[in-house]
Amino acid sequence: RGIRILRYHSVNEWSRSDLNVRESQFRRQMGFLAKHYSVISLEEAVRRLKRGERSPQKTLAISFDDGYEDNYTVAYPILRQYGLPATIFLLTAGEGSERQLTHFLDGRPHQFPLLAWDQVREMARGRITFGSHGATHARLADLNAEEVEKEILLSKKKIEDQLDPPVRFFSYPFGASGDFNQRIKEGVRKTGYEAAFSAIFGSNGRYPDFFALKRIGIEAS
């Protein structure tokens, strides 16, 4: 009876990264969810959890980490087709063509462009909301207090400079249990976030840790 939160990354046909879901697969998945599940926004999911409300068995929310350009070019039209809300957790470092992540596939670097701010603003006018995934995708547990503050605070401010609504949610880079700790969680809370999301597998029932909410990774495998 808990709330499931799905965690996607990139959506395109060509990538062989395990973090990628092919467009054809994503379209089938969204059609399945629209038909069989009550898909709610992440804001509504957190609201229900804070109120301790029991949800129907098939209730979930959709999220994306990193904020790849294909979230706009590929995933967003499909989400609009099915009328599904989603939240994208953005990396904020870099400007213009510098907004890319490098993935090593078959031992070779491949550049994955991140969303441009005009694309973010367009999606924000739809049913897409945005949270922070930090600035540089650094593993927060490896950073000192000053570096952690820059990652979680400056990324929040940068998104809020581009969009009107306050940034309420944070997603930990990497997100496994060893990638953040109580010090990091407390820093996220003090920065003004209302909740934070991990990559720890599971659903969220009554009395969850709102600064380590669980998600279900949807990946190629």
Side-chain angles (χ1 to χ4, degrees):
R1 303 298 297 274
I3 292 177
R4 299 167 177 83
I5 301 169
L6 305 188
R7 176 177 57 91
Y8 286 91
H9 287 83
S10 61
V11 181
N12 63 67
E13 284 293 333
W14 60 268
S15 173
R16 287 183 288 173
S17 168
D18 190 49
L19 295 179
N20 183 68
V21 172
R22 293 185 181 277
E23 177 180 358
S24 54
Q25 295 171 324
F26 185 77
R27 187 180 300 277
R28 288 197 300 271
Q29 290 168 10
M30 294 305 102
F32 177 84
L33 296 181
K35 182 177 181 180
H36 297 289
Y37 280 77
S38 172
V39 180
I40 60 176
S41 68
L42 205 59
E43 291 79 3
E44 175 65 12
V46 171
R47 185 190 68 80
R48 292 189 189 185
L49 289 169
K50 286 187 174 182
R51 292 186 177 183
E53 295 179 7
R54 292 178 63 84
S55 295
Q57 286 184 327
K58 293 185 176 182
T59 300
L60 60 79
I62 299 168
S63 69
F64 295 79
D65 278 1
D66 299 335
Y68 295 105
E69 185 179 54
D70 59 41
N71 293 176
Y72 171 79
T73 58
V74 180
Y76 180 49
I78 296 171
L79 291 167
R80 289 185 63 188
Q81 175 185 345
Y82 290 104
L84 300 178
T87 295
I88 299 175
F89 290 101
L90 297 171
L91 293 167
T92 61
E95 296 294 340
S97 61
E98 296 177 358
R99 286 186 48 74
Q100 299 193 36
L101 275 187
T102 300
H103 292 185
F104 286 86
L105 308 175
D106 302 325
R108 296 175 297 169
H110 293 260
Q111 296 297 323
F112 284 69
L114 298 175
L115 288 163
W117 290 111
D118 59 343
Q119 295 170 330
V120 170
R121 287 188 287 270
E122 181 179 338
M123 286 190 286
R125 293 191 289 268
R127 301 189 68 190
I128 309 300
T129 56
F130 294 89
S132 171
H133 198 40
T136 66
H137 210 284
R139 183 175 276 104
L140 300 182
D142 295 340
L143 305 181
N144 62 38
E146 183 179 352
E147 291 168 330
V148 169
E149 183 179 13
K150 287 182 179 179
E151 287 285 335
I152 63 180
L153 177 60
L154 296 184
S155 60
K156 186 177 194 293
K157 288 184 175 180
K158 190 165 186 177
I159 299 170
E160 289 174 344
D161 286 343
Q162 298 290 335
L163 303 174
D164 289 332
V167 174
R168 300 170 57 191
F169 303 140
F170 186 83
S171 167
Y172 299 107
F174 302 100
S177 57
D179 298 319
F180 62 97
N181 51 36
Q182 191 59 40
R183 172 178 68 92
I184 305 299
K185 289 161 60 176
E186 186 62 16
V188 170
R189 185 189 67 79
K190 287 183 176 179
T191 302
Y193 294 96
E194 297 178 25
F197 298 81
S198 73
I200 299 171
F201 184 91
S203 61
N204 300 281
R206 300 181 71 182
Y207 314 116
D209 181 346
F210 284 98
F211 288 88
L213 290 169
K214 298 175 181 178
R215 291 185 291 173
I216 298 170
I218 308 298
E219 299 163 353
S221 59

